[in-house]
Amino acid sequence: MTNLAQNLLDTAAADPAHPALRMDDAVLGYGDFRDAALRVAGSLQARGVAPGDRIGLVLPNVLSFPVVFYGALLAGAVVVPMNPLLKAREVEYYLRDSGARLVVALEPAEPVVEAAAAVGVDAVTVGPVSPDALLGTDPPAAAVERSGDDLAVILYTSGTTGQPKGAELTHANLAGNCRTTAETLTESTPDDVIMGCLPLFHVFGLTCGLNTAVLSGSLLTLVPRFDGAKALSVIERDRVTIFEGVPTMFAGMLHSEGAAGRDVSSLRSCVSGGSAMPVEVMRSFEETFGCIVLEGYGLSETSPVASFNHPHAERKPGSIGTPIAGVQMRLVDDDGTDVAAGEVGEIAIRGENVMRGYWQRPEETAKSIPNGWFRTGDLARKDEDGYFFIVDRKKEMIIRGGYNVYPREIEEALYEHPAVAEAACIGISHPELGEEVAAAVALKPGADADADELREFVKARVAAYKYPRHVWLVDALPKGPTGKILRRSVEVPQEVGRR
């Protein structure tokens, strides 16, 4: 039986009374979690859902998400998770592109209902604590047999170029990645409490949070909407042992009021991914909270984990570590040839974690996975110990007068300034140079600095061609569903010029 949902059945059989999911005062044990998921599977089957049918899932981090997710897998369906903040036209695109049979959303869900009506599929709305509308009188279903290569999830990538594409993740992709996460990265057991503030509709939260907790028999404590102070209070209340987040979450906790007074002594492991962790944020977080941060790397297309600073190996701040078990990584040039030692190249990945392809896009799939190696679009260097260091997204590299400028390097310099909370470096068009370096900066609460001061600060730290000629202050930077800063969405002030 290779259905990913078998992990829930096995864990529930071993200790049905053990708490599985928590959302503030609401707690669900593994036995009740299993029973509710089986009833969801029965209800979906009664609605005509067959193995392989796609089910849209538009829920935040509430108890109903794991129950419906595992219920859909038990019925043999393919889950299409979506950000609850999507507008009707965006949901409509995902439903239409995936050919979804029905969609489940958090009540009242007007945009989802509107999108479902436009596509001609059923929309089922559920409450946050229990998906009552899917817990009908239908008898609990038995788990549907799936093969490892059968689809479990279609995750739509952010679509930095063109329309979003659906990454096809199989039962084997997800099962293997959560097993490696549990066994070698978080080393989680039933005694652990895992923080569930990463969105479950995103692959990082889905694999490393939910699926890993279910496999390990750990408690996943859910936070529907991230806030630094709230996260710290949940860590303190529930004695969280494993915190997983993106860098902006670590920064949000670090800069929240009264952070230093919180009791976070229960934390055993902190995991960062999603985007590069600024070294200064990592240093400050570890100093304030007394917990080592281990940084990793992955993408939706790789289920997601590809490399990691492993717990019992040397940790190199600023590095994404070494490939995990069952995964190979290399650095290649545009032709797919390995680059020379110490040179910058594009990360290519091969292994059990790599997606089957992009949903109904054979040409895109062939372009992205030539010869079985997934081309990530991320540029990196590798040191003599085999540790990878991200230089930047290939697409976001700035070319100023023929010189390559990597935004992350400039952001790292800005983060060293004591007043800086967040920074995004971008390229804006320039008549002579092609592109000029620019940066938008958000300051820490109560901090004071002006654009000229920040520009001079970076100028003193990087080569003359690299420092940002244009710096402006903003209240906050645009972020994606996981809290990752979106450079491409940064608005350039009119006086600076258009990108």
Side-chain angles (χ1 to χ4, degrees):
M1 175 67 157
T2 51
N3 190 325
L4 176 66
Q6 186 63 40
N7 290 341
L8 174 59
L9 303 182
D10 294 344
T11 298
D15 189 355
H18 193 286
L21 305 165
R22 177 171 186 178
M23 184 179 68
D24 291 331
D25 296 333
V27 181
L28 201 61
Y30 269 102
D32 291 338
F33 179 8
R34 170 201 58 203
D35 294 347
L38 284 167
R39 287 176 66 190
V40 167
S43 177
L44 291 174
Q45 289 171 333
R47 291 167 184 265
V49 172
D53 282 350
R54 276 77 60 207
I55 303 293
L57 188 54
V58 194
L59 294 173
N61 285 19
V62 293
L63 295 185
S64 286
F65 186 115
V67 172
V68 176
F69 177 78
Y70 273 88
L73 293 183
L74 286 165
V78 179
V79 183
V80 184
M82 295 175 230
N83 186 339
L85 298 177
L86 292 176
K87 303 295 185 193
R89 58 182 289 279
E90 296 167 308
V91 176
E92 184 181 334
Y93 170 78
Y94 291 131
L95 294 177
R96 204 180 292 283
D97 189 75
S98 66
R101 178 68 182 258
L102 64 82
V103 58
V104 182
L106 187 68
E107 55 195 15
E110 285 94 345
V112 179
V113 173
E114 182 187 325
V119 180
V121 301
D122 288 338
V124 181
T125 57
V126 298
V129 177
S130 174
D132 292 333
L134 286 171
L135 298 177
T137 54
D138 307 299
V144 171
E145 288 276 353
R146 297 272 80 190
S147 77
D149 197 43
D150 282 332
L151 288 187
V153 167
I154 296 175
L155 278 170
Y156 279 84
T157 62
S158 53
T160 47
T161 54
Q163 290 276 46
K165 304 184 291 284
E168 302 175 315
L169 300 181
T170 66
H171 286 267
N173 286 153
L174 294 171
N177 211 243
C178 80
R179 189 182 309 108
T180 300
T181 298
E183 291 175 357
T184 64
L185 306 184
T186 58
E187 300 178 321
S188 45
T189 72
D191 295 331
D192 279 305
V193 179
I194 300 176
M195 185 73 159
C197 58
L198 284 165
L200 297 178
F201 58 78
H202 186 270
V203 69
F204 188 5
L206 186 65
T207 291
C208 302
L210 176 57
N211 293 341
T212 296
V214 168
L215 176 67
S216 309
S218 311
L219 168 63
L220 182 70
T221 183
L222 295 169
V223 177
R225 188 172 176 275
F226 182 81
D227 168 81
K230 168 72 174 175
L232 288 170
S233 72
V234 170
I235 292 171
E236 193 171 37
R237 182 195 73 195
D238 295 348
R239 309 300 294 159
V240 170
T241 58
I242 298 169
F243 179 87
E244 300 167 337
V246 294
T248 50
M249 290 178 174
F250 287 89
M253 291 159 65
L254 188 59
H255 301 143
S256 68
E257 203 173 329
R262 290 288 190 179
D263 177 10
V264 296
S265 58
S266 59
L267 283 178
R268 175 173 64 74
S269 177
C270 288
V271 175
S272 177
S275 61
M277 164 79 88
V279 175
E280 187 56 31
V281 172
M282 183 186 285
R283 187 193 64 73
S284 300
F285 187 91
E286 293 181 346
E287 210 171 79
T288 304
F289 299 119
C291 184
I292 295 292
V293 179
L294 298 175
E295 192 170 5
Y297 167 77
L299 308 96
S300 297
E301 292 91 339
T302 59
S303 304
V305 189
S307 70
F308 211 85
N309 279 276
H310 292 66
H312 304 294
E314 181 187 359
R315 181 186 65 129
K316 298 192 179 187
S319 165
I320 56 167
T322 56
I324 63 169
V327 173
Q328 296 171 282
M329 283 170 48
R330 49 196 275 254
L331 298 177
V332 300
D333 61 19
D334 289 344
D335 298 326
T337 307
D338 288 6
V339 300
E343 292 293 307
V344 173
E346 181 182 357
I347 298 174
I349 300 172
R350 182 170 70 179
E352 64 182 17
N353 60 336
V354 174
M355 65 173 181
R356 198 170 79 177
Y358 289 116
W359 175 254
Q360 294 185 331
R361 285 176 171 78
E363 288 177 14
E364 292 272 10
T365 300
K367 197 164 60 177
S368 297
I369 318 177
N371 308 317
W373 288 85
F374 173 64
R375 301 286 292 267
T376 64
D378 287 322
L379 300 177
R381 285 191 186 89
K382 187 167 74 168
D383 71 9
E384 63 280 1
D385 299 321
Y387 283 66
F388 287 78
F389 291 79
I390 293 280
V391 176
D392 234 308
R393 282 290 298 166
K394 194 174 180 181
K395 300 180 186 73
E396 292 176 341
M397 183 174 71
I398 300 163
I399 304 178
R400 182 184 186 273
Y403 288 99
N404 293 347
V405 180
Y406 300 109
R408 189 192 167 194
E409 184 184 357
I410 310 309
E411 289 161 5
E412 287 283 2
L414 282 162
Y415 277 112
E416 289 174 20
H417 192 287
V420 172
E422 296 177 342
C425 177
I426 59 172
I428 58 174
S429 60
H430 188 278
E432 285 87 41
L433 299 167
E435 285 183 293
E436 185 55 276
V437 184
V441 176
L443 301 179
K444 293 174 184 174
D448 190 40
D450 63 25
D452 290 340
E453 176 187 342
L454 294 172
R455 182 170 50 248
E456 292 304 310
F457 183 84
V458 179
K459 186 179 180 180
R461 284 163 173 75
V462 300
Y465 70 87
K466 292 182 181 178
Y467 79 89
R469 268 56 174 182
H470 305 286
V471 177
W472 61 94
L473 299 177
V474 295
D475 292 333
L477 289 166
K479 299 180 184 72
T482 60
K484 181 177 176 180
I485 292 169
L486 299 177
R487 293 191 187 111
R488 66 181 182 277
S489 298
V490 170
E491 290 187 8
V492 181
Q494 208 165 1
E495 62 270 22
V496 172
R498 301 187 69 80
R499 287 183 68 180

